[in-house]
Structures are given as structure tokens and as C-alpha cells.
Amino acid sequence: MAREPLDRMNCSIAHALDVVGSIDGFLILRNAFNGMRTFDAFQDHLGLSSSVLSTRLKQMTEAGILRKTPSPTDGRSYEYRLTEQGLGLYPVMVALLHWGERWTPDPGGERMFLTETATGRPVAQMAVRSEDGRPLRPQEITAVAGPGADDKIRQLVGWRHRQG
């Protein structure tokens, strides 16, 4: 049986994945968060074909993650800059970075780590936190169906309770 297309699922995670688009989309985001802005720079660094990169950048621009603007230094080219919506993905990217460094380490050491610009001190590991700032484990969190939930979401959020 085929899976329902992501854009038809009533699920915020599915919609977010549909907007980012692909593994390539996450790599484009990674590079954009590190200051990359031009088509040529993305292509050179990621090794994507022109057609694939063009499609991904167009999807991410249409989704509101990136904004395409004329280059201030070359009127014939464009830059891709993160929008507020795109910047909202930063915690997701940091969480993936931290997860990857912990669970898929390189024998030579950390591939990348983040420091606070003002102090040079390391950025704390990402965590889901309570209102008072305490880190919470998944077992300490309950998903609750909201007013926009459909039957599948209500079934999903009740799953853990049925499992005991």
C-alpha cells in the first residue's frame, strides 16, 4: 500500500519535511546557515547537478524558507538568503548536528561544533525543556491532540497510552 503524500497528511512534521523537500534541502540549509548564498557556491560545495539544485532552491524559495534577491555585487546573479521562516529551522539543524556528532562520530574528532560568537564558549546541547528550563526525556512528555487534529493524529497521540 502506498503512503499518503506528505502534503496531504494532517501532520506538522510531515508538512515540515515536505517544505524542506529532501536531504539536499537540509544540506542547502546547512550551507545557508554557514553563510553560503550563491548558486555557484552551493553547487561547488554540494556537488549537485544544476537542475537538481535549481529545483531545490526554487522549492525552498516558493515555500518561504529562502528569499532570492539580486546580488549586490553582480547584477546578473542572485543570492539566496534565509527568511524568518528559514531561520526558524536553526534549532532543528543544531539538534541534527549534535545528534550526528554523538551517534555517528568521526574517529578523528568532532567535525563541527558551535560556539557563542560573543564569548567563544560552546553552545549547550539541544534539549526539549520544561517551562522552567529542566531537560525532559520523551517519557516525561505527553502529546495532546489539538483542535486541528484529524482521526489519524488523535489515534497517534493515544498510541503510547494504549501500549502501557
Side-chain angles (χ1 to χ4, degrees):
M1 184 163 97
R3 175 179 49 78
E4 185 178 352
L6 294 177
D7 65 345
R8 287 204 232 140
M9 289 182 172
N10 186 19
C11 172
S12 53
I13 294 172
H15 284 232
L17 290 171
D18 192 48
V19 168
V20 173
S22 65
I23 292 169
D24 297 335
F26 279 100
L27 295 175
I28 290 167
L29 277 173
R30 177 200 62 192
N31 289 20
F33 278 116
N34 281 286
M36 199 169 282
R37 293 184 179 147
T38 66
F39 186 95
D40 289 342
F42 285 115
Q43 188 175 33
D44 289 345
H45 193 263
L46 296 173
L48 298 173
S49 71
S50 293
S51 62
V52 168
L53 180 58
S54 181
T55 298
R56 296 291 179 261
L57 289 170
K58 182 178 180 192
Q59 289 169 336
M60 295 173 79
T61 301
E62 288 175 352
I65 293 171
L66 296 172
R67 181 180 71 248
K68 183 179 178 180
T69 59
S71 170
T73 59
D74 179 1
R76 297 170 295 149
S77 63
Y78 293 90
E79 292 185 350
Y80 295 88
R81 294 179 178 254
L82 291 158
T83 63
E84 280 300 309
Q85 183 178 331
L87 291 169
L89 287 162
Y90 193 63
V92 175
M93 300 302 290
V94 172
L96 285 169
L97 170 72
H98 287 163
W99 185 92
E101 287 298 336
R102 178 175 180 187
W103 297 105
T104 65
D106 186 275
E110 285 182 283
R111 293 162 286 222
M112 184 188 299
F113 58 92
L114 305 174
T115 60
E116 185 179 352
T117 302
T119 65
R121 292 172 51 183
V123 171
Q125 291 290 311
M126 293 296 293
V128 176
R129 300 189 182 278
S130 68
E131 216 173 69
D132 66 6
R134 291 177 295 109
L136 297 171
R137 297 183 53 76
Q139 304 87 318
E140 299 174 283
I141 298 170
T142 301
V144 178
D150 61 10
D151 289 339
K152 280 190 167 191
I153 292 295
R154 281 190 275 286
Q155 178 187 26
L156 177 63
V157 300
W159 194 260
R160 186 186 294 177
H161 300 292
R162 286 193 299 277
Q163 299 302 309

